[in-house]
Amino acid sequence: MMALTRENLMSELEKKNFEVEAKDIVKNGVTCHGIEIKKTDDDIAPLIYTDDLFSDANKKGYGMDSVVRMVTDFVISFGKDNKKNFNVKLLYDRKWVLNHLYISAQRDSNQPYVKKKSICKGIEVFLYLNISRDGAEYGSINDVTEILRITGITEAEAWKQAKKNMRDDMVIEDMGTVLDLDLEEPMLYVLTNKVHMRGAGMIADQTILADFARTHNTHCIAVFPSSVHEVLLFPDAEVKDFSAYNMVVQSVNEACVDEKERLSDRAYVFCL
């Protein structure tokens, strides 16, 4: 049986007349190995991460033939959907780009994104372009440097609009609602967006945190940015000892959050 390796998969895909290129992408500080693959006449090439693909295939007992079939079916479907739902020329449309700029968060990195330090030490926030369909994210461009240049959008303008777009999609729910529990007095809240993807970018807008604090009649709040998809908020006017909070974040990360999606193993404090 042929070994499930990136090189073997690329070789098999080339035999089927796909254009392929090995890509190593750093996601939130973790290197992910993938293949960029497309048909010659497609405008956009999806990036398929092979580590998770092969891990899942091994668990299910799939061989290379099955993996190749799954990948080719996906790429063909992806190409058809793109032609129906996404026009690459939109990337040169200033208004469209502005309306699709959002903010994501990740651990500090050397990646050349349009980015800033966040209020949480060790975490940076960066602009990305959300290519959406039916209200749900299905594609994104993380390095928007060239797109901003081509469309004549300044970084200041881009950050301002991205914050507005982000706030329009903002969702804050108490933990009882999220877990379907009847809590008499909810104290922990989830800050994210409507699609629960990359919601931790909300920490780029301090007015969101300030408004939350004022709503709960407190001067300081505890911020738990454990995942790239959401931030947990705890309204507490007397935040003193964070050791217990740190232990909670560490426990949740170990049990529930994939390493590629973890932001921090500690809690932070935000005060007005």
Side-chain angles (χ1 to χ4, degrees):
M1 181 180 291
M2 183 180 293
L4 295 178
T5 66
R6 180 165 63 172
E7 292 72 20
N8 285 345
L9 178 56
M10 290 174 64
S11 176
E12 293 300 303
L13 291 170
E14 286 176 332
K15 292 177 184 177
K16 295 183 178 294
N17 299 317
F18 285 94
E19 296 181 9
V20 297
E21 182 179 354
K23 293 277 187 176
D24 290 338
I25 305 296
V26 178
K27 297 181 66 176
N28 194 34
V30 178
T31 300
C32 301
H33 308 291
I35 301 173
E36 196 173 78
I37 171 174
K38 72 183 185 74
K39 282 289 191 180
T40 304
D41 57 346
D42 288 340
D43 294 319
I44 296 179
L47 180 63
I48 296 172
Y49 294 106
T50 52
D51 296 335
D52 291 339
L53 176 66
F54 294 152
S55 175
D56 187 57
N58 282 321
K59 289 177 183 177
K60 295 178 179 178
Y62 294 162
M64 181 60 79
D65 288 345
S66 296
V67 171
V68 170
R69 186 162 52 251
M70 287 189 296
V71 170
T72 54
D73 286 348
F74 168 76
V75 174
I76 292 171
S77 174
F78 183 91
K80 289 178 180 178
D81 286 346
N82 267 329
K83 290 172 182 176
K84 291 178 182 177
N85 296 290
F86 185 69
N87 180 357
V88 177
K89 293 180 180 179
L90 289 172
L91 298 178
Y92 300 89
D93 185 316
R94 190 177 193 280
K95 183 178 179 180
W96 186 91
V97 169
L98 280 170
N99 288 334
H100 288 77
L101 283 171
Y102 286 83
I103 302 172
S104 188
Q106 67 176 10
R107 296 192 291 264
D108 282 350
S109 75
N110 294 321
Q111 290 168 289
Y113 296 162
V114 180
K115 61 185 182 179
K116 296 179 179 179
K117 296 289 185 183
S118 77
I119 62 167
C120 301
K121 186 177 181 180
I123 299 174
E124 63 189 20
V125 291
F126 64 93
L127 296 174
Y128 75 97
L129 197 64
N130 178 8
I131 304 171
S132 56
R133 177 181 62 189
D134 299 330
E137 179 183 324
Y138 76 104
S140 61
I141 298 175
N142 288 345
D143 187 355
V144 298
T145 307
E146 187 63 13
I147 292 175
L148 295 186
R149 186 191 68 79
I150 291 172
T151 53
I153 300 171
T154 66
E155 287 194 17
E157 185 180 11
W159 281 104
K160 181 179 180 180
Q161 183 64 40
K163 288 181 179 180
K164 179 185 181 302
N165 296 340
M166 190 171 62
R167 285 183 71 95
D168 288 344
D169 284 346
M170 180 180 67
V171 173
I172 300 180
E173 298 178 304
D174 67 79
M175 188 60 80
T177 300
V178 173
L179 299 178
D180 196 23
L181 299 174
D182 185 15
L183 300 180
E184 193 171 309
E185 187 178 352
M187 289 298 290
L188 197 60
Y189 294 80
V190 180
L191 171 62
T192 184
N193 52 37
K194 294 175 183 176
V195 294
H196 297 271
M197 292 285 290
R198 293 183 158 191
M202 298 286 175
I203 60 174
D205 190 345
Q206 294 187 38
T207 62
I208 292 176
L209 303 179
D211 288 346
F212 177 84
R214 294 190 186 97
T215 298
H216 293 274
N217 301 310
T218 183
H219 180 69
C220 294
I221 61 175
V223 181
F224 305 85
S226 62
S227 163
V228 297
H229 301 305
E230 67 276 319
V231 175
L232 302 183
L233 303 177
F234 182 79
D236 189 344
E238 299 294 333
V239 178
K240 294 178 181 178
D241 182 9
F242 265 64
S243 58
Y245 294 156
N246 290 341
M247 289 179 63
V248 170
V249 176
Q250 291 164 14
S251 298
V252 170
N253 281 351
E254 276 299 317
C256 306
V257 183
D258 187 279
E259 183 185 0
K260 294 190 290 294
E261 299 180 346
R262 293 179 194 172
L263 284 178
S264 175
D265 281 333
R266 56 159 291 189
Y268 300 82
V269 61
F270 172 82
C271 294
L272 296 175

